[in-house]
Amino acid sequence: MSKALEGVRVLDFTHVQSGPTCTQLLAWFGADVIKVERAGEGDATRAQLRDIPGVDSLYFTMLNHNKRSITLDAKHPAGKEVLETLIRDCDVLVENFAPGALDRMGFSWERIQALNPRMIVASVKGFGPGPYEHCKVYENVAQCTGGSASTTGFDDGPPVVTGAQIGDSGSGLHLALGIVTALYQRQATGRGQRVLTAMQDAVLNLCRVKLRDQQRLERNGVMEEYPQYAFGEFGSAVPRAGNASGGGQPGWILKCKGWDSDPNAYIYFIAQAAVWPAICRVIGREEWITHPDFATPRARLPRLMEIFATIEEWTKTLTKFEVMDILNQYDIPCGPILSMKEIAEEPSLRATGTIVEVEHPERGSYLTVGNPIKLSDSPTEVRRSPLLGEHTDEVLAQLGYSAAQIAALREQRAI
């Protein structure tokens, strides 16, 4: 069975996380992704956070599956000629260099268009056009400038960044969608185009509910679903809301049995209005069903912390999985806090390909995430990441270079 992006060739000039997330997703869907790396060094993440000396790190391997690696010195005249050949042959060029780096290499948008008018050039940058467009950005900087950190954490503490890589991997996911969209439009126009994802923009897109809340706050001065509604005051900007739900359904993280020794013995509990009578019966507070202080969502708003404290007295008597089993019988929304160890060992995630075990010639077996997007007619096979320059000769031969020409390029240190 053919893959969804079979026949699409991607020239991958990305490194670290945001760009490789994008190109790995394209490779999972069947694109031929050619990762261009510097000889002797390669992507910086090959050596970062190593757990085995001299072996590609998990950081690198988990972001570069299903790709081919070639080494190339794009500053060398002969290397530049190889790059020009690659540009003519490929459909997409993806890069996350510092702003202006591609131009300084001699490959401006105009130059690329002259070589291949159908080429799509996709870029991840820290910021879009504006006062900060030349600034260097990393994951946590993107979270801070995109609105996430200011709205994460508890209102009596500092801003907090999240463990989810919404700046890097989030930008890569957005860029991949932009590339596929540009490829689709090219079928009609025959032309390539530029695709840009700014990390600040991607984070803001993922934080859109907080921009919603900012406008609600400016209009009404309060937001009733926030814990501050009953016990604090609102300022001019959206505050941090602890573990409150962002969707208007009252929710909180509650302790479960073993919480005093297990940092993940907790469950997220949503006190949804539709199942309020069931909640009262489960926790042994049936009188709350009709009590005027608790019978309606409006009456419960200023008492949410009291309600969750009472529910927690019940959840603390059971494990998080026992709580979930009971609540699901009554369609009460909940979710246990799963540690990375629990996720790695979960059989159902292995069965669906969400967690995949991969064999590597140097590091042996390791776990990685699989494709989070499942297509019924194009299942993803996760293949190991390439060794540095593993496919240089193969790719050049496909471009028409003879064995003698490849040897000469290597002698000149152009590859």
Side-chain angles (χ1 to χ4, degrees):
M1 186 179 295
S2 64
K3 297 292 185 180
L5 294 181
E6 189 171 305
V8 174
R9 182 162 287 179
V10 178
L11 190 54
D12 182 2
F13 264 105
T14 71
H15 57 286
V16 191
Q17 186 178 164
S18 60
T21 296
C22 167
T23 52
Q24 178 172 258
L25 195 60
L26 299 177
W28 278 341
F29 286 134
D32 177 16
V33 176
I34 302 169
K35 186 176 180 73
V36 181
E37 302 185 74
R38 187 180 301 174
E41 296 181 28
D43 190 317
T45 58
R46 286 186 183 269
Q48 286 181 3
L49 306 175
R50 274 180 171 151
D51 56 319
I52 303 175
V55 174
D56 287 339
S57 71
L58 287 167
Y59 195 6
F60 176 83
T61 59
M62 293 175 70
L63 285 162
N64 291 281
H65 294 109
N66 295 46
K67 303 178 185 180
R68 297 195 287 172
S69 169
I70 67 170
T71 54
L72 182 67
D73 182 356
K75 295 180 180 178
H76 192 287
K80 210 163 248 185
E81 290 180 8
V82 172
L83 180 53
E84 289 180 355
T85 304
L86 282 165
I87 290 172
R88 292 189 184 98
D89 186 70
C90 291
D91 299 283
V92 183
L93 185 153
V94 189
E95 60 91 16
N96 61 336
F97 293 128
L102 207 57
D103 289 356
R104 292 190 292 273
M105 288 168 59
F107 291 93
S108 65
W109 164 247
E110 291 76 18
R111 174 63 177 149
I112 293 171
Q113 280 280 286
L115 292 168
N116 181 357
R118 291 173 57 82
M119 171 68 80
I120 292 160
V121 178
S123 305
V124 172
K125 302 302 175 192
F127 296 96
Y132 305 116
E133 62 182 304
H134 298 295
C135 296
K136 197 170 186 178
V137 173
Y138 289 94
E139 170 66 43
N140 288 351
V141 174
Q143 289 193 30
C144 291
T145 59
S148 174
S150 73
T151 57
T152 304
F154 290 86
D155 63 340
D156 58 352
V160 176
V161 295
T162 175
Q165 303 291 280
I166 61 175
D168 275 324
S169 288
S171 297
L173 291 168
H174 282 84
L175 190 67
L177 175 59
I179 290 169
V180 172
T181 303
L183 284 169
Y184 183 81
Q185 188 172 20
R186 193 180 71 176
Q187 293 180 351
T189 67
R191 300 195 308 272
Q193 61 183 298
R194 285 177 286 187
V195 179
L196 171 66
T197 293
M199 293 172 70
Q200 181 187 40
D201 298 359
V203 171
L204 177 57
N205 187 42
L206 297 173
C207 291
R208 67 177 65 189
V209 297
K210 300 301 182 181
L211 183 59
R212 171 204 68 190
D213 289 349
Q214 179 63 39
Q215 295 170 85
R216 292 171 56 227
L217 177 62
E218 290 172 359
R219 182 176 297 276
N220 300 320
V222 297
M223 291 179 291
E224 295 179 345
E225 78 282 7
Y226 275 60
Q228 292 88 337
Y229 173 64
F231 306 108
E233 295 182 358
F234 288 91
S236 61
V238 173
R240 293 179 275 285
N243 292 316
S245 168
Q249 300 290 348
W252 208 253
I253 291 179
L254 306 179
K255 297 172 182 174
C256 293
K257 188 176 182 179
W259 68 271
D260 48 350
S261 58
D262 180 357
N264 294 298
Y266 292 81
I267 194 163
Y268 197 89
F269 189 108
I270 297 178
Q272 191 177 33
V275 291
W276 177 248
I279 293 172
C280 296
R281 294 187 184 100
V282 166
I283 67 173
R285 289 300 182 103
E286 291 191 36
E287 70 276 11
W288 280 3
I289 297 175
T290 57
H291 194 291
D293 288 346
F294 301 96
T296 66
R298 170 69 61 184
R300 290 192 292 272
L301 275 174
R303 298 175 176 84
L304 285 177
M305 292 300 102
E306 174 191 345
I307 291 169
F308 284 125
T310 304
I311 296 172
E312 189 174 62
E313 292 305 310
W314 174 75
T315 61
K316 284 164 65 176
T317 67
L318 302 164
T319 69
K320 60 189 179 185
F321 297 110
E322 290 171 337
V323 172
M324 187 177 185
D325 287 342
I326 293 170
L327 297 181
N328 280 336
Q329 295 176 42
Y330 302 95
D331 292 327
I332 299 171
C334 65
I337 308 304
L338 296 180
S339 68
M340 279 298 157
K341 179 176 174 60
E342 289 169 318
I343 288 173
E345 296 173 352
E346 172 55 48
S348 65
L349 296 179
R350 302 286 187 98
T352 59
T354 299
I355 297 288
V356 182
E357 190 167 347
V358 178
E359 287 293 328
H360 189 277
E362 296 180 344
R363 71 162 32 256
S365 177
Y366 67 96
L367 292 182
T368 187
V369 296
N371 192 342
I373 304 169
K374 274 66 172 180
L375 301 184
S376 62
D377 286 353
S378 184
T380 298
E381 175 193 357
V382 177
R383 302 192 305 272
R384 69 165 176 87
S385 61
L387 303 177
L388 180 60
E390 180 177 353
H391 304 96
T392 302
D393 290 8
E394 175 183 286
V395 170
L396 291 180
Q398 290 175 345
L399 292 173
Y401 286 81
S402 67
Q405 288 174 313
I406 295 171
L409 288 169
R410 187 162 282 110
E411 180 71 24
Q412 298 172 63
R413 297 185 177 180
I415 57 174

